[in-house]
Amino acid sequence: MTKTVDARGLSCPQPVLMTLNAIKAGNDSEIKVLVDSEVSKENVCRAANNRGWTVADITDESGEFSITMKKG
Amino acid sequence: MKNFLAGRWGIIGVGSVIGVLAALLQKLGNPGNMGVCVACFERDIAGALGLHRAGVVQYVRPEVIGFVLGALIAAYLFREFRPRLGSAPIVRFVLGAFAMIGALVFLGCPWRAALRLAGGDGSAIFGLLGLGVGIWIGTLFLKGGYNLGRTQRTHVAAGWMLPLMMLGLLVLMFIFPAVSGEAKSGVLFYSLKGPGAMHAPLLISLGIGLFIGFIAQRSRFCTMGAVRDLVLFRHMHLMSGFIALIVAAFVANLLFGQFHPGFEGQPVAHTMQIWNFAGMMLAGLAFCLAGGCPGRQLFLAGEGDGDAAIFVLGMIAGAAFSHNFGLASSPAGVGPYGIQAVVIGLVVCLFIGFTMRKSVV
């Protein structure tokens, strides 16, 4: 199951908070996070790595990023 | 493209560079332990425009102009200019105003709190503790679902509003330069004595401001975020930059002969420690609820964030209230209504924190 977290339009620390909440919920082995700034992308990726998740893919569509991360 | 400055050594490097440049600005004429102080400098700008008439703190600080325009240049060069607004702007204005009121009870923003410590001012410890507690309270609200809602993309011109205002201020400085012995030049007020009369040469201040704005935009340097991320996520990333700033400024102060340890007689500071603590607690809470320290708000405004720009204008308005209403401290101690203002500010921030929760999942 892939859970999608939509953090577009939100600024720090909301995207990270939402990502960590999704990780903590523990239901999903793959999470997709949508953000719309470079800063949020960096912060979400850094937070995911800190929690032992791997960023598998980032797609950029005119400044909107979709970050796919996997457990472990 | 990999953004080196946003990495671990990048943020440490940026903090160190800011610390050294701040000490250098003091050496070149800025007031003691005030190489860079976003709150003090915005307050001086409010004074230069006549929004308050405290004669000792009136000067258009080119550093602030540089911060915004440096961030703007970096944002354009790296394709990060993103005009956006609409996340509760009026709330951000109020938070900016009370952040400034709290900062002026302490006499400094988080940047200056760090620089005061690096210059040996022991009272800064109480300010930094207050800052930490204020931000910690803010993180409790964040955990409880507090947020000001989503922004929306907007016209490029909207993102340019604050940068254009800063350009306008710079133009005014060139049209109406300081005249020796005159308290007013054209439309601008200039302090003849006090901190407002102490400044590094204009072009040097502007150049250093532009440079700091540029590297701070790239590195996402934020003093409030440093404490917030540590408390909220146990992330040391931004904190390593903040600590680097203090250490670098300390070393530079030692080299420049600017380190004078003690509590009494420190430049532009008072020793009423409870209010040093409480003023910064209010400021820290307001910064946390608004999502950035005053420096970060300038850099965000430079990359097109209209809500951050509103926060900046709130701070400038707050500075005007601070001096017109007798809320700001002086080296003699807190102003006649400073204590009441801190209490009201805390109540307002708590009201905002408790009431503004929005489900965004």
Side-chain angles (χ1 to χ4, degrees), chain B residues 150-172:
Chain B
R150 294 177 199 269
T151 56
Q152 310 216 317
R153 280 178 177 253
T154 181
H155 304 283
V156 169
W160 269 85
M161 282 298 133
L162 196 80
L164 284 174
M165 284 183 210
M166 291 293 152
L167 270 177
L169 286 177
L170 190 59
V171 169
L172 283 180

Side-chain angles (χ1 to χ4, degrees), chain B:
Chain B
M1 192 188 333
K2 180 95 175 122
N3 179 2
F4 167 75
L5 289 181
R8 179 163 183 197
W9 290 107
I11 190 89
I12 290 174
V14 167
S16 310
V17 167
I18 293 175
V20 171
L21 289 176
L24 182 66
L25 281 169
Q26 284 158 222
K27 185 81 182 161
L28 294 173
N30 278 8
N33 299 342
M34 205 192 279
V36 179
C37 171
V38 177
C40 313
F41 287 3
E42 288 174 355
R43 180 265 318 272
D44 292 350
I45 289 175
L49 299 176
L51 300 177
H52 68 69
R53 299 298 170 90
V56 292
V57 282
Q58 297 177 319
Y59 180 62
V60 177
R61 294 280 178 184
E63 289 89 347
V64 170
I65 297 171
F67 280 12
V68 175
L69 299 181
L72 175 91
I73 293 166
Y76 264 98
L77 272 182
F78 293 92
R79 305 171 63 88
E80 287 187 8
F81 186 80
R82 226 166 40 85
R84 55 197 190 270
L85 48 75
S87 170
I90 182 66
V91 179
R92 292 174 190 271
F93 185 91
V94 171
L95 289 172
F98 279 109
M100 178 63 96
I101 288 169
L104 291 181
V105 167
F106 165 70
L107 289 173
C109 69
W111 292 42
R112 184 167 190 246
L115 293 174
R116 280 174 58 173
L117 183 68
D121 179 352
S123 301
I125 295 167
F126 297 91
L128 286 166
L129 287 174
L131 179 73
V133 171
I135 296 170
W136 171 71
I137 296 170
T139 62
L140 298 180
F141 286 119
L142 288 169
K143 280 185 195 166
Y146 164 86
N147 79 81
L148 291 177
R150 294 177 199 269
T151 56
Q152 310 216 317
R153 280 178 177 253
T154 181
H155 304 283
V156 169
W160 269 85
M161 282 298 133
L162 196 80
L164 284 174
M165 284 183 210
M166 291 293 152
L167 270 177
L169 286 177
L170 190 59
V171 169
L172 283 180
M173 281 196 94
F174 285 117
I175 297 176
F176 304 115
V179 179
S180 179
E182 297 288 334
K184 204 169 179 208
S185 170
V187 301
L188 294 179
F189 291 85
Y190 285 92
S191 293
L192 294 178
K193 56 186 173 63
M198 303 168 72
H199 49 80
L202 191 160
L203 290 178
I204 292 179
S205 293
L206 181 65
I208 291 181
L210 283 167
F211 180 66
I212 292 179
F214 189 97
I215 59 174
Q217 193 281 334
R218 296 308 297 148
S219 65
R220 333 320 187 178
F221 183 84
C222 178
T223 59
M224 184 285 296
V227 180
R228 180 198 63 202
D229 288 359
L230 186 62
V231 175
L232 206 51
F233 308 129
R234 304 276 176 262
H235 287 181
M236 272 301 288
H237 177 73
L238 289 173
M239 182 55 94
S240 57
F242 193 26
I243 292 171
L245 186 160
I246 298 176
V247 173
F250 168 67
V251 173
N253 280 332
L254 280 179
L255 293 176
F256 291 145
Q258 294 175 159
F259 182 73
H260 307 290
F263 288 86
E264 304 288 338
Q266 292 287 347
V268 203
H270 64 80
T271 53
M272 297 172 72
Q273 308 302 6
I274 291 176
W275 300 107
N276 278 331
F277 178 91
M280 272 314 245
M281 183 170 79
L282 168 59
L285 176 55
F287 294 141
C288 190
L289 294 179
C293 76
R296 179 81 182 136
Q297 303 279 0
L298 289 174
F299 311 135
L300 285 170
E303 56 181 73
D305 185 337
D307 296 313
I310 298 281
F311 184 90
V312 172
L313 297 181
M315 282 192 75
I316 292 174
F321 281 117
S322 279
H323 283 283
N324 290 337
F325 287 6
L327 317 178
S329 299
S330 70
V334 297
Y337 298 105
I339 292 171
Q340 293 90 326
V342 168
V343 173
I344 293 170
L346 286 171
V347 170
V348 170
C349 285
L350 291 177
F351 171 72
I352 289 171
F354 276 115
T355 53
M356 297 183 194
R357 295 155 198 249
K358 190 175 173 191
S359 174
V360 288
V361 177

Side-chain angles (χ1 to χ4, degrees), chain A residues 2 4 8-9 17 20 24-25 27 37 40 48 50 54 57 65 67:
Chain A
T2 304
T4 300
R8 287 173 297 177
L17 269 174
L20 293 183
K24 269 184 212 154
N27 305 324
S37 79
S40 296
N50 275 346
T54 318
D57 185 44
F65 302 96
I67 306 163

Side-chain angles (χ1 to χ4, degrees), chain A residues 1-5 22-23 26-33 53-54 56-57 67-72:
Chain A
M1 263 282 291
T2 304
K3 183 187 173 74
T4 300
V5 174
I23 287 177
N27 305 324
D28 314 278
S29 54
E30 188 174 290
I31 299 172
K32 185 187 274 190
V33 184
W53 282 54
T54 318
D57 185 44
I67 306 163
T68 308
M69 53 184 74
K70 289 185 161 68
K71 200 174 196 167

